[in-house]
Amino acid sequence: MDWHTCSFYVLSVMILGSALMVVSLRNIVHCALFLAFTFMGVAGVFALLHAEFLAAVQVLIYVGAITVLILFAVMLTQKTIGISLKQTNRLAPLAVLSAVTFLCMIAVIALNTTFPTSGQHTVAVSTQTIGSAILGNGSYVVPFEVASILLLAAMVGAIVIARGQDN
Amino acid sequence: MSGDFGSVIGPVAPEIILCVLGLLLLVAGMFLPAHRKATIIFWTCLVGLGTALCSCVMVLAAIALSPEPLQMPNWLGATLRVDEFALVLKILINLATILTILISPEYIQHRLTAGRSEYFPLVVFAALGMTLLVSATDLITIYVAMELTSLVSYVLVGYMKRDPKSTEAGMKYFLVGAASSAIMLYGMSLTYGMTGATDLASIRRAIAELGSPEPMVLVGLILMVAGFGFKLAAAPFHMWAPEAYEGGPTPIVALISVGPKMAGIAVLLHVLEIGFPEIRDHWSALIAAIAAISMVLGNLTAIPQKNIKRMLAYSSIGQIGYILIGVASLPQSMNDWRTSGIIVYLLVYAFMNIGAFAVVTAVSNAGLSDDIEDYRGLAQSSPLLAVALLVFLASLAGLPPTAGLWGKALIFGAAIYSGFTWLAVVGVACSVVSVFYYFNVVRVMFFLKATTPHTFRNTHLLTAGIIIAITGTLFIGVYPEPFIAMARVGQDIVAAR
């Protein structure tokens, strides 16, 4: 096993382990911290695949912004720090059972599938490639622009839900 | 830069108009004087939606009249495809949004304590998401447009903050919707992993090259269909619908019971027919099963409902089952009734379902609850509303001379033609069952005496909305030929291009 495969497995354990912690711990601050570890692991996978730009963005946005935002929200919300939250209800065993069944099914199918790979070495993804994929001719201009409307609409919606009455 | 301005943005003019309208209304809401705000925003919204509707008709005319296929501006790439089928559906979506806007003002005046001026722009953004969805031919575009529609719907369903039911509905809708988006994305990523492409035409080529269908391709497709099924509220992915319909503001429920269904059906048809025609046998059986479960479960669960919005929720689960029969049928090239069936059914469904919710809105504006019990004696206190609801329910049940009959006839015809006779039989049986619960409401309205008389003073706008919906339902019912012909325009939905 070369170092590449080895680090992939290490990262996978890190991602899955901390993701499990996120959904099972009882202290919301600990959950948020483990979420940061999950995101770091994903950034590591991106780096392994030579998507350095994505890895940097992943750290900046997910670890830097989203987790910190969650921690701020926890800090500003009263009565959430220090109390023990139960993340499961009485249907938890059923949920675990169906998730494991699904996992087994996917695993069996995935092991019997040959994914078509290009055989080439990983293409170096530069910011330039990403830029022209988003804004170049015949590319993803439409979804890129729609995403900005989506974020605007989501923000307006969140403000409407969160603020008080009309004056 | 080739071509004039018109040919560069022409085909996506309806989307651009909706986008500009939404932004304009948002900004207008901040700066207009408070006492005029509601009126100006409402009329701007109505005029803007009308313009978007006209632009759809103009693009459709340009495509239908020009001898050679319309040249798509190349900045669109493979992300959007504007064809007759998409344009007919865009016209329907704009129409549904206009009807929703017409029945909204009084209701939001009574019920909303916050966000009155953001209501209309959010509705316009929902319409924008749906019009994009019916054209989308790329998995990323499909995902982004679907999220736009869904996020706006979650917010609008939970819009009545004072009402715990509305908040609960919004929360449930959001959680289930987020989970279903994750499932759909997982399916998309598996599909991308197997085919190395996000646009549907390339996915098709890649699957054809794989030869025998790999099980992983099927898993990807099934997960995507499950995600679309959530947005369509087709059984067994329907759990959110009754709560969301019961708790949400009624005009919004009218919109989300119609608009996302049109968009979802278009997405389903595009993904299946452009991306996966090679494995038609597999998905055809899958969709047929979903259709059968939706029809049976929706119609049977609707019977014991005491709340009219819940009843209409289960009825709409049944209705989506009928439409899915059309999706499961053979393609138009071999089956003359399929596309016309789907389009006519969606057109009719828009009129009758929004009409029914318009009457529910009018009744709750008069201070009554949504319980079927409260519809006692509606025929005496407001004959117009009672007769209107009678027409809409008769059409939902598929009785002549209403339009619902034609939608069902075409769809069941397409099913029999495709060898799905059993599905058509289930559909007819479910239609018979549905008469029972639809006419229970009619019985309550016409044959029971009201306990306390109520006066109905409806605004002209709401009345106009109801009258447009009645006219549509009855006109298509007695004279369906032009609409079936119009639907034929878009018949080569996705004739393998």
Side-chain angles (χ1 to χ4, degrees):
Chain A
M1 200 151 53
D2 57 356
W3 71 270
H4 202 272
T5 326
C6 190
S7 36
F8 173 77
Y9 283 116
V10 171
L11 283 171
S12 304
V13 170
M14 173 175 161
I15 294 173
L16 294 176
S18 17
L20 265 180
M21 289 294 158
V22 173
V23 293
S24 56
L25 286 180
R26 282 163 171 260
N27 183 324
I28 196 163
V29 180
H30 297 174
C31 293
L33 286 175
F34 274 105
L35 194 62
F37 278 116
T38 315
F39 291 146
M40 287 295 274
V42 175
V45 173
F46 281 140
L48 268 187
L49 295 169
H50 285 284
E52 289 85 2
F53 179 74
L54 276 185
V57 168
Q58 172 84 15
V59 172
L60 277 178
I61 295 178
Y62 282 88
V63 185
I66 292 187
T67 315
V68 171
L69 203 64
I70 291 175
L71 285 173
F72 264 117
V74 170
M75 209 174 73
L76 296 175
T77 318
Q78 289 176 350
K79 295 178 194 162
T80 44
I81 303 178
I83 59 162
S84 159
L85 297 163
K86 196 160 182 266
Q87 291 212 46
T88 51
N89 59 13
R90 65 195 162 76
L91 290 177
L94 212 61
V96 170
L97 184 71
S98 51
V100 170
T101 319
F102 182 74
L103 176 72
C104 295
M105 192 191 83
I106 287 283
V108 168
I109 294 174
L111 290 175
N112 293 316
T113 306
T114 39
F115 279 91
T117 43
S118 64
Q120 296 168 346
H121 239 280
T122 337
V123 196
V125 182
S126 63
T127 39
Q128 197 184 351
T129 352
I130 294 177
S132 55
I134 293 178
L135 289 171
N137 237 353
S139 55
Y140 297 109
V141 188
V142 177
F144 178 69
E145 297 296 344
V146 177
S148 56
I149 297 286
L150 164 76
L151 292 175
L152 174 71
M155 196 167 67
V156 171
I159 292 171
V160 170
I161 296 278
R163 86 167 172 213
Q165 295 184 13
D166 280 1
N167 41 18
Chain B
M1 203 73 162
S2 67
D4 54 329
F5 189 62
S7 68
V8 173
I9 65 157
V12 285
E15 283 84 352
I16 293 177
I17 291 173
L18 285 176
C19 178
V20 171
L21 176 67
L23 297 174
L24 189 75
L25 292 175
L26 267 185
V27 177
M30 290 194 293
F31 293 110
L32 286 174
H35 59 289
R36 294 259 193 80
K37 194 150 77 174
T39 328
I40 298 179
I41 287 187
F42 172 78
W43 287 105
T44 318
C45 187
L46 204 58
V47 171
L49 285 169
T51 320
L53 182 70
C54 293
S55 71
C56 292
V57 175
M58 279 162 68
V59 181
L60 181 62
I63 292 183
L65 296 178
S66 83
E68 68 256 31
L70 187 74
Q71 196 63 46
M72 285 294 134
N74 51 15
W75 61 271
L76 283 181
T79 50
L80 287 184
R81 200 177 76 183
V82 183
D83 53 15
E84 292 98 331
F85 176 69
L87 282 162
V88 171
L89 284 183
K90 281 181 199 183
I91 293 174
L92 295 187
I93 287 168
N94 277 301
L95 198 69
T97 316
I98 289 175
L99 285 174
T100 308
I101 293 293
L102 280 178
I103 64 176
S104 293
E106 212 188 350
Y107 191 90
I108 62 175
Q109 200 65 35
H110 284 306
R111 299 296 182 93
L112 294 189
T113 50
R116 282 190 198 140
S117 52
E118 285 82 10
Y119 176 91
F120 292 107
L122 285 175
V123 170
V124 171
F125 284 139
L128 171 66
M130 295 175 224
T131 47
L132 280 164
L133 267 180
V134 299
S135 286
T137 50
D138 182 283
L139 294 183
I140 296 179
T141 320
I142 290 176
Y143 172 68
V144 174
M146 199 168 260
E147 282 304 287
L148 174 58
T149 317
S150 307
L151 272 172
V152 176
S153 314
Y154 308 147
V155 171
L156 287 171
V157 164
Y159 221 71
M160 300 186 290
K161 286 189 292 181
R162 287 284 191 77
D163 183 351
K165 266 192 171 170
S166 170
T167 312
E168 184 198 342
M171 198 65 204
K172 269 191 183 159
Y173 191 14
F174 171 65
L175 289 177
V176 176
S180 75
S181 292
I183 293 172
M184 181 178 76
L185 269 182
Y186 191 44
M188 285 178 173
S189 71
L190 287 179
T191 308
Y192 178 74
M194 287 307 291
T195 60
T198 57
D199 74 290
L200 296 172
S202 312
I203 288 176
R204 180 198 180 162
R205 277 194 295 278
I207 291 177
E209 275 169 29
L210 282 178
S212 61
E214 291 268 1
M216 208 46 143
V217 174
L218 273 179
V219 174
L221 182 63
I222 291 173
L223 292 179
M224 280 199 281
V225 169
F228 303 149
F230 273 103
K231 312 291 172 195
L232 287 173
F237 314 112
H238 64 281
M239 323 64 115
W240 58 271
E243 268 75 24
Y245 283 35
E246 188 186 351
T250 315
I252 291 305
V253 176
L255 181 67
I256 64 165
S257 70
V258 171
K261 296 210 157 98
M262 293 178 179
I265 288 287
V267 167
L268 202 55
L269 274 172
H270 278 146
V271 169
L272 295 176
E273 290 284 357
I274 306 181
F276 295 87
E278 315 289 336
I279 50 173
R280 172 180 300 281
D281 296 344
H282 294 88
W283 59 252
S284 183
L286 175 71
I287 301 287
I290 297 178
I293 300 173
S294 301
M295 285 188 294
V296 173
L297 199 137
N299 284 305
L300 289 183
T301 337
I303 297 173
Q305 299 306 322
K306 298 264 183 286
N307 178 304
I308 193 159
K309 282 162 87 178
R310 266 187 106 82
M311 185 207 83
L312 285 171
Y314 284 109
S315 115
S316 80
I317 295 168
Q319 300 282 338
I320 200 68
Y322 301 131
I323 303 174
L324 283 173
I325 297 180
V327 179
S329 306
L330 285 174
Q332 186 73 26
S333 51
M334 287 178 260
N335 177 358
D336 220 17
W337 292 6
R338 184 214 204 183
T339 317
S340 2
I342 295 175
I343 292 184
V344 168
Y345 205 112
L346 286 173
L347 171 67
V348 170
Y349 179 68
F351 282 122
M352 60 196 184
N353 221 40
I354 294 189
F357 278 112
V359 176
V360 176
T361 310
V363 171
S364 70
N365 282 348
L368 291 165
S369 80
D370 297 327
D371 291 337
I372 295 176
E373 192 67 7
D374 268 19
Y375 284 66
R376 282 162 159 265
L378 192 67
Q380 281 105 45
S381 43
S382 176
L384 169 74
L385 290 181
V387 171
L389 194 54
L390 169 67
V391 170
F392 299 134
L393 293 177
S395 184
L396 282 165
L399 299 178
T402 55
L405 174 72
W406 297 107
K408 284 203 173 116
L410 287 166
I411 291 266
F412 293 157
I416 293 170
Y417 203 90
S418 315
F420 281 122
T421 316
W422 66 273
L423 259 186
V425 172
V426 173
V428 172
C430 288
S431 306
V432 175
V433 171
S434 73
V435 174
F436 181 72
Y437 62 82
Y438 289 131
F439 275 75
N440 178 39
V441 179
V442 173
R443 179 184 65 89
V444 171
M445 286 193 303
F446 282 86
F447 298 114
L448 296 183
K449 287 267 177 290
T451 37
T452 46
H454 269 268
T455 45
F456 289 85
R457 259 178 270 105
N458 288 314
T459 56
H460 298 307
L461 294 169
L462 183 57
T463 316
I466 292 177
I467 286 175
I468 293 173
I470 294 191
T471 317
T473 314
L474 288 178
F475 186 75
I476 303 172
V478 292
Y479 187 48
E481 285 89 351
F483 297 95
I484 298 175
M486 181 190 81
R488 289 244 163 84
V489 170
Q491 64 177 270
D492 58 331
I493 309 185
V494 263
R497 269 186 260 179

